[in-house]
Amino acid sequence: MDNFKELVKSNRSCRRFDNAFALDTQTLTDLVELARYTASGANNQPLKYIISSSREQNDKIFSCLTWAAYLKEWKGPEPAEQPTGYIIILGDTTISNNFWCDHGIAAQTILLGARARGLAGCMFAAINIKKLKSLLAIDDHLEVKLVIALGKPVEKACIDDVGDDGDIRYFRDENQVHHVPKRKLEDLILKAF
Amino acid sequence: MDNFKELVKSNRSCRRFDNAFALDTQTLTDLVELARYTASGANNQPLKYIISSSREQNDKIFSCLTWAAYLKEWKGPEPAEQPTGYIIILGDTTISNNFWCDHGIAAQTILLGARARGLAGCMFAAINIKKLKSLLAIDDHLEVKLVIALGKPVEKACIDDVGDDGDIRYFRDENQVHHVPKRKLEDLILKAF
């Protein structure tokens, strides 16, 4: 349990990567394999995946993402710090029109698996979906649910308690450490029977 | 990574428990703490939790759940095999009306954490929400997103490949082993760049 807790705590959303560190198809395939083993509403398993570790396709995917909305001065990683792989999670509407929270279950499993390998990543729901579907020729029957950016992290992040002002916006300090305020545990548990 | 893969594979939805094995508030609190460290859309953290390890409240929660829809002959665990704890995941609409897939991220993290402790559980989205909100006096501004049943597992489960007929319905064999057909990895990855 302690190991797993450390894994969860170390699994911070990462937005700056070593772009010289190449990811390969096998690594991304292994991460999707983890998602294959996860729970799915009514076991329907309506999620499908596109993986990319090619520079050309990565650049296309990158151009469709909105980075770190709370960091107003930062428009996303410079080329040397861009992700080197992506996993796009799609909902196959020929299987179901209700994906429940399957993509959350899958994405968290993928990111924990990446972290266990010394990698890191970030889930994106703020995506230019029309552009992404066009650039990657994604069929109409597939709904883009999430994009996960992956790579070798070059960013430090830490968890803070949310302060009395209730501000949950993450920020970078003067040493470029990324701070993420999390609500206190006693504020999360409403009743304990 | 191998350890984590084994954890994910061993984390099967469990529906039969040792009802003599008591869970305590601290264990459930520790599991919610894991969820506290997870990613949340725009870091809003709109999820709240109710935990229960009391027999009286457990019975109320149990009465609101629909068990294993594909097992037509089975109406849910008998008293000796009922869960001994629950974590109810709620969306706080005073924080946000969009919970994205935060509850999937949180629930999977809780279940992996439970499995790492030798426990097991099952996510429920098929819930009599009106009854649950009434029985537990859950405030109107809270949306019930998921119920996680937890306990010490007494059920064996295994993963099979989905066959050529495409049937994804889980089933129990003559030894009461629960089989879960999962789509093949090659059917999940549509494109690999």
Side-chain angles (χ1 to χ4, degrees):
Chain A
M1 176 63 180
D2 281 352
N3 281 349
F4 182 69
K5 182 175 174 179
E6 288 315 306
L7 178 63
V8 171
K9 288 182 77 169
S10 73
N11 179 39
R12 314 298 351 129
S13 294
C14 176
R15 298 176 181 84
R16 296 193 291 127
F17 304 89
D18 176 1
N19 194 256
F21 178 87
L23 276 177
D24 56 30
T25 299
Q26 187 59 52
T27 300
L28 299 176
T29 302
D30 290 348
L31 294 174
V32 174
E33 186 191 356
L34 293 176
R36 175 179 181 247
Y37 301 129
T38 60
S40 167
N43 201 36
N44 264 329
Q45 308 164 70
L47 301 182
K48 302 288 174 73
Y49 300 85
I50 294 174
I51 61 179
S52 171
S53 57
S54 97
R55 182 165 296 273
E56 186 189 349
Q57 304 297 329
N58 284 354
D59 287 347
K60 290 182 189 170
I61 299 168
F62 179 85
S63 75
C64 300
L65 304 178
T66 302
W67 288 79
Y70 294 137
L71 305 181
K72 299 291 181 199
E73 306 298 308
W74 189 70
K75 299 302 171 200
E78 56 180 296
E81 295 189 342
Q82 290 179 5
T84 51
Y86 292 94
I87 296 175
I88 303 172
I89 304 183
L90 306 158
D92 186 337
T93 60
T94 66
I95 297 176
S96 177
N97 283 305
N98 187 350
F99 306 105
W100 298 91
C101 57
D102 280 14
H103 44 302
I105 297 169
Q108 175 70 346
T109 308
I110 287 169
L111 281 169
L112 289 170
R115 196 71 204 102
R117 288 173 174 247
L119 303 171
C122 187
M123 300 181 206
F124 289 83
I127 306 160
N128 184 333
I129 287 177
K130 194 173 168 187
K131 184 176 173 186
L132 184 66
K133 291 192 80 162
S134 166
L135 285 174
L136 266 61
I138 297 173
D139 284 347
D140 283 344
H141 72 279
L142 298 163
E143 257 182 42
V144 177
K145 304 301 292 178
L146 285 172
V147 172
I148 303 176
L150 292 160
K152 184 179 163 190
V154 296
E155 181 174 67
K156 284 211 170 71
C158 69
I159 296 169
D160 301 333
D161 284 351
V162 167
D164 291 336
D165 59 4
D167 194 345
I168 48 72
R169 291 174 296 177
Y170 46 76
F171 62 94
R172 285 200 191 136
D173 68 20
E174 62 280 12
N175 298 315
Q176 298 301 305
V177 174
H178 186 83
H179 291 256
V180 185
K182 289 296 188 188
R183 301 187 196 281
K184 292 175 193 164
L185 187 57
E186 60 261 37
D187 294 332
L188 301 184
I189 298 179
L190 300 182
K191 304 183 193 212
F193 296 117
Chain B
M1 174 63 177
D2 282 350
N3 281 350
F4 182 69
K5 182 176 173 178
E6 289 314 306
L7 178 64
V8 171
K9 288 183 79 169
S10 74
N11 179 40
R12 315 292 358 124
S13 292
C14 176
R15 297 176 181 84
R16 296 193 290 127
F17 304 89
D18 176 1
N19 193 256
F21 178 87
L23 276 177
D24 57 26
T25 299
Q26 188 59 52
T27 300
L28 299 176
T29 303
D30 290 349
L31 293 174
V32 174
E33 187 191 356
L34 293 176
R36 175 181 181 245
Y37 300 129
T38 60
S40 168
N43 200 37
N44 264 329
Q45 309 164 67
L47 300 182
K48 300 290 175 71
Y49 300 85
I50 293 174
I51 61 179
S52 171
S53 58
S54 97
R55 182 165 297 273
E56 184 188 350
Q57 303 297 328
N58 285 353
D59 287 346
K60 290 183 189 170
I61 299 167
F62 180 84
S63 75
C64 300
L65 304 178
T66 301
W67 287 80
Y70 294 138
L71 304 181
K72 299 291 182 200
E73 306 298 308
W74 189 69
K75 299 302 171 200
E78 54 181 297
E81 295 188 342
Q82 289 178 6
T84 51
Y86 292 93
I87 296 175
I88 302 172
I89 304 183
L90 305 157
D92 186 337
T93 60
T94 66
I95 296 176
S96 177
N97 283 303
N98 186 348
F99 307 104
W100 299 92
C101 56
D102 280 15
H103 45 303
I105 296 168
Q108 174 70 345
T109 308
I110 286 169
L111 281 170
L112 288 170
R115 196 72 205 101
R117 285 172 176 249
L119 303 171
C122 186
M123 299 182 206
F124 289 83
I127 307 159
N128 185 332
I129 287 177
K130 195 174 168 186
K131 184 177 174 187
L132 184 66
K133 291 191 80 161
S134 167
L135 285 175
L136 266 61
I138 298 173
D139 284 347
D140 283 344
H141 71 280
L142 298 163
E143 257 182 43
V144 177
K145 305 302 291 178
L146 285 172
V147 172
I148 303 176
L150 291 161
K152 183 179 163 191
V154 296
E155 180 174 67
K156 284 212 170 70
C158 69
I159 297 169
D160 301 332
D161 284 351
V162 167
D164 291 338
D165 60 3
D167 194 344
I168 48 71
R169 291 175 295 177
Y170 46 76
F171 62 94
R172 285 202 190 135
D173 68 20
E174 61 279 14
N175 299 315
Q176 299 301 305
V177 174
H178 186 83
H179 290 256
V180 185
K182 288 295 190 189
R183 299 187 197 283
K184 293 176 191 161
L185 187 56
E186 60 261 36
D187 295 331
L188 301 185
I189 300 179
L190 301 182
K191 305 183 192 214
F193 295 118

